Amino acid sequence: MSALLILKSYNSLKSYMKANLTIFISILLSALIAIAVYNHLSSFNLEEETKNYHVKVVFPHSSSRYVEKTLRDLINDEISNFKKDFNESSPSGNWKNELCIYSDKYKFSSNIESYLLNIYTFTGGAHGSTNIVSKNFDKSKQCEIGLNDVFQED
């Protein structure tokens, strides 16, 4: 009798776990989709291509207009300088002049945000060139944080 009870309990538990696993997987997939949509909607994406160049920019938005404007100004300057230098330059071979700017956002508190911009250019030759730029902001004061704000002179 006890073996039959154990078998019934096991089958009940198995069926309970199967139903809950389906619910868990559904919730997990919904959360992953929501995160992907949020990341896409909460980032600035730009892609432009001509016969001479290809430009691609991806960086996350900020809730601060000051931070957003500062980053967009920096990126627009990079794009303008690149286009000025390489718009008329006709590439040889099967490649185009290329500018790619990707950024990661790091939040250290509700007011402190840091951005690490990876700026890659390829204008021919054996390999491209990468420049890393970091920007740190205090959103509450609407200002950029520099080394002088973090370190004191002796």
Side-chain angles (χ1 to χ4, degrees), residues 90-152:
S90 201
S92 62
N94 293 328
W95 57 271
K96 292 183 178 189
N97 297 310
E98 186 173 13
L99 171 66
C100 295
I101 303 173
Y102 298 97
S103 177
D104 292 315
K105 175 173 145 180
Y106 304 93
K107 279 187 94 162
F108 296 100
S109 71
S110 60
N111 292 324
I112 305 297
E113 286 182 353
S114 292
Y115 293 81
L116 192 62
L117 287 87
N118 183 331
I119 304 169
Y120 172 81
T121 55
F122 178 77
T123 57
H127 54 80
S129 173
T130 300
N131 186 19
I132 306 292
V133 176
S134 63
K135 294 289 184 181
N136 305 292
F137 299 96
D138 185 333
K139 295 188 324 180
S140 66
K141 296 179 183 175
Q142 296 293 296
C143 68
E144 192 169 341
I145 300 171
L147 291 177
N148 292 339
D149 300 317
V150 179
F151 298 105
Q152 295 179 354

Side-chain angles (χ1 to χ4, degrees), residues 8-62:
K8 282 183 179 180
S9 296
Y10 171 74
N11 285 335
S12 295
L13 181 62
K14 195 167 99 175
S15 133
Y16 174 79
M17 287 176 59
K18 187 185 266 185
N20 283 332
L21 183 60
T22 303
I23 292 169
F24 173 75
I25 290 172
S26 297
I27 291 170
L28 181 62
L29 286 175
S30 297
L32 291 173
I33 291 169
I35 289 168
V37 168
Y38 173 79
N39 285 339
H40 177 72
L41 294 176
S42 66
S43 65
F44 171 77
N45 300 298
L46 167 80
E47 193 155 5
E48 182 180 340
E49 190 163 359
T50 69
K51 66 179 183 150
N52 293 334
Y53 66 81
H54 178 239
V55 173
K56 184 171 185 174
V57 177
V58 177
F59 80 92
H61 284 296
S62 172

